[in-house]
């Protein structure tokens, strides 16, 4: 983000001596993107941030994927993956089950009631959507309060942990990029300010409000990274707690953005998915479908037209309301639909006609469109509704 923030105790001039009350130097760390050529922040540590005392292998959950072959649309029931006896002992980091992935992005789902280990992802930014429940997300920049409907943006290589709050489990949909995740350029001025036509603005982004200091020695941090072309994990041990930042400033930091603060763009006739875009990464976009007034041309058909988005796989996560175009398909809260490139998709039978005259859609969905085919993770294979592909015709093979 090109939106400057300053928090805590920092010196008046960067790259100069900064000392505590007893005269001890703080250790300055530049956390920056694209080789000193993009957004960055300066963090001031009480201890040397590069000091470690051990590094061992962290075995990740199954990261294998299976091609969508034969090619077909699919329906996944994510809530089936985590019955209560599982989520009660699951954390948001190590408990994620891989749903879909390609070389650009991985989509996972987790239901959790347990505090996560300290963790950072050195492959890219993470955008975690909170379907339900609440959590405190503790980071080296400070803490965030995550609530239902929040996107939690964690910049690449930010050490953090998830601490669920309350009695309700935390349901989280994790979008892990191999790049950075940012608002679309068309929403921003050449200097990075949100423009007037953008569906949200800086006021809707909520970062930490104060530094977070924690004590401890020999602290483990799980690091996800790449080695030999594969996604792997390392367990690093730090002599001092990494939450030792007394202050920071810059344009790179974690934040939350609630989907209810997204102002929908509507029109007289049906608006295409780019009108719903909120963020983008390398070779993928993230879109919001929120409650909204729909098409008001006297002859409009409010549900989507059938479409073949030939360059994309379309992944829709249904997280609230009543999605008009999918009535009768079995899709509900916690479902994912996979509509791959190479297959025309659109409303279920009858939805086209039923939508005529409707003035408002009460629906909530997060869409990820990728520009390379996605493959199925082990989580997808474990919760697929096998009948969905035939729901437009009413019959499947040999029937």
């Amino acid at each position: 983000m090109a939106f400057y923030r300053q928090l805590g105790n920092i010196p008046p001039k960067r790259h100069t001596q900064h000392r505590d009350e007893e005269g001890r130097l703080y250790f300055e760390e530049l956390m920056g993107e694209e080789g000193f050529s993009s957004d960055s922040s300066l963090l001031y540590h009480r201890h040397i941030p590069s000091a470690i005392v051990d590094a061992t292998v962290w075995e990740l959950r199954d990261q294998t994927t299976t091609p969508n072959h034969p090619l077909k649309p699919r329906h996944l029931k994510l809530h089936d993956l985590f019955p209560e006896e599982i989520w009660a002992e699951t954390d948001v980091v190590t408990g994620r089950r891989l749903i879909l992935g390609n070389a650009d992005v991985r989509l996972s789902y987790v239901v959790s009631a347990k505090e996560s280990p300290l963790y950072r992802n050195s492959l890219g930014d993470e955008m975690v959507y909170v379907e339900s429940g609440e959590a405190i997300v503790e980071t080296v920049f400070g803490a965030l309060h995550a609530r239902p409907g929040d996107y939690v943006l964690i910049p690449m290589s930010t050490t953090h942990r998830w601490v669920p709050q309350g009695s309700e489990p935390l349901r989280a949909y994790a979008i892990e990029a191999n790049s950075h995740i940012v608002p679309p350029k068309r929403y921003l001025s050449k200097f990075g300010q949100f423009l007037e036509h953008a569906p949200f603005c800086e006021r809707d982004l909520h970062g930490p409000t104060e530094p977070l200091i924690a004590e401890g020695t020999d602290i483990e941090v799980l690091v996800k990274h790449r080695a030999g072309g594969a996604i792997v994990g390392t367990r690093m041990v730090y002599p001092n707690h990494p939450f030792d930042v007394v202050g920071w400033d810059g344009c790179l930091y974690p934040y939350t953005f609630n989907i209810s603060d997204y102002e929908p763009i509507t029109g007289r006739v049906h608006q295409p998915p780019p009108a719903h875009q909120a963020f983008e990464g390398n070779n993928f976009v993230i879109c919001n479908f929120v409650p909204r007034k729909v098409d008001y041309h006297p002859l409009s058909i409010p549900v989507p037209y059938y479409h073949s988005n030939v360059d994309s796989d379309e992944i829709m996560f249904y997280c609230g309301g009543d999605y008009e175009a999918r009535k009768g398909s079995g899709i509900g809260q916690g479902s994912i639909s996979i509509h791959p490139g190479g297959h025309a998709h659109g409303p279920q039978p009858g939805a086209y006609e039923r939508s005529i005259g409707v003035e408002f859609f009460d629906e909530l969905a997060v869409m990820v469109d990728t520009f390379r085919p996605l493959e199925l993770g082990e989580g997808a294979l474990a919760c697929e509704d096998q009948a969905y592909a035939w729901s437009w015709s009413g019959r499947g093979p040999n029937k």
Side-chain angles (χ1 to χ4, degrees):
M1 284 297 300
F3 178 32
Y4 175 83
R5 297 194 68 209
Q6 175 182 318
L7 210 64
N9 180 11
I10 65 172
K13 185 74 173 177
R14 65 181 178 177
H15 312 326
T16 60
Q17 296 177 32
H18 186 34
R19 298 179 182 271
D20 66 14
E21 293 178 351
E22 298 180 3
R24 291 171 297 201
L25 281 169
Y26 291 119
F27 299 94
E28 183 184 62
E29 175 195 6
L30 174 73
M31 185 172 175
E33 300 173 343
E34 299 180 12
F36 301 93
S37 300
S38 188
D39 295 345
S40 66
S41 286
L42 288 169
L43 297 83
Y44 294 88
H45 294 265
R46 297 195 301 176
H47 307 287
I48 296 174
S50 51
I52 58 174
V53 297
D54 198 7
T56 56
V57 172
W58 165 37
E59 295 290 350
L60 302 181
R61 288 191 74 141
D62 187 357
Q63 298 292 299
T64 58
T65 57
T66 303
N68 184 6
H69 185 224
L71 186 72
K72 63 177 183 177
R74 298 173 187 263
H75 169 208
L76 311 178
K77 297 182 176 182
L78 300 190
H79 286 187
D80 291 353
L81 294 174
F82 289 92
E84 182 173 357
E85 61 270 19
I86 293 178
W87 61 250
E89 296 300 322
T90 299
D91 71 77
V92 172
V93 171
T94 66
R96 295 178 189 180
R97 298 190 66 173
L98 181 62
I99 305 302
L100 296 157
N102 63 19
D104 303 308
V105 65
R106 292 166 305 285
L107 308 178
S108 300
Y109 188 72
V110 64
V111 184
S112 167
K114 186 178 177 182
E115 178 181 307
S116 80
L118 290 166
Y119 160 74
R120 66 174 174 266
N121 185 338
S122 70
L123 296 167
D125 292 354
E126 291 192 359
M127 182 71 84
V128 181
Y129 179 80
V130 178
E131 179 189 359
S132 62
E134 297 190 27
I136 301 299
V137 185
E138 299 177 343
T139 84
V140 290
F141 292 89
L144 302 170
H145 177 208
R147 58 192 176 94
D150 270 348
Y151 288 99
V152 182
L153 187 281
I154 306 292
M156 181 178 182
S157 288
T158 297
T159 301
H160 66 284
R161 69 178 165 201
W162 289 77
V163 184
Q165 304 289 296
S167 58
E168 184 181 355
L170 180 69
R171 296 182 178 273
Y173 180 56
I175 303 168
E176 300 181 24
N178 282 358
S179 61
H180 303 299
I181 299 175
V182 296
K185 290 182 179 179
R186 68 181 182 276
Y187 293 165
L188 305 174
S189 75
K190 63 181 179 180
F191 299 111
Q193 182 181 9
F194 281 97
L195 297 170
E196 280 297 298
H197 68 272
F200 59 102
C201 73
E202 290 86 354
R203 296 183 190 183
D204 302 316
L205 309 181
H206 306 285
T209 58
E210 60 183 2
L212 176 62
I213 302 294
E215 303 291 344
T217 57
D218 293 345
I219 304 298
E220 290 188 351
V221 177
L222 303 182
V223 182
K224 186 180 291 183
H225 60 102
R226 193 174 295 278
I231 297 173
V232 297
T234 292
R235 189 184 309 271
M236 291 185 174
V237 180
Y238 287 78
N240 299 288
H241 203 293
F243 291 169
D244 68 342
V245 175
V246 299
W248 61 270
D249 76 330
C251 297
L252 181 66
Y253 48 84
Y255 62 83
T256 64
F257 166 66
N258 197 274
I259 197 169
S260 65
D261 289 324
Y262 183 88
E263 302 302 331
I265 298 170
T266 61
R268 293 186 75 220
V269 295
H270 191 81
Q271 298 299 295
H276 303 278
Q277 187 179 352
F279 301 99
E280 63 189 15
N282 183 51
N283 283 330
F284 72 93
V285 300
I286 302 171
C287 300
N288 292 332
F289 289 82
V290 300
R292 64 195 182 279
K293 180 178 176 62
V294 291
D295 319 345
Y296 44 90
H297 187 284
L299 297 178
S300 67
I301 301 176
V303 295
Y305 36 78
Y306 294 86
H307 48 289
S308 294
N309 192 357
V310 297
D311 292 316
S312 300
D313 281 5
E314 179 197 278
I315 311 304
M316 193 79 79
F317 175 50
Y318 303 88
C319 43
D322 187 8
Y323 202 77
E324 290 288 336
R326 294 284 160 259
K327 282 186 176 179
S329 66
I331 281 176
Q333 176 87 19
S335 288
I336 273 185
S337 63
I338 304 171
H339 296 141
H343 175 263
H345 63 277
Q348 304 302 131
Y352 219 53
E353 297 82 359
R354 287 194 304 269
S355 74
I356 294 174
V358 172
E359 296 183 351
F360 187 84
F361 281 175
D362 182 18
E363 62 189 24
L364 196 63
V366 172
M367 186 178 82
V368 176
D369 268 15
T370 66
F371 298 110
R372 284 199 273 193
L374 285 160
E375 296 192 344
L376 306 169
E378 59 81 22
L381 299 176
C383 67
E384 184 178 2
D385 170 11
Q386 298 288 343
Y388 178 71
W390 332 120
S391 61
W392 287 270
S393 63
R395 64 183 181 91
N398 304 317
K399 293 182 181 179

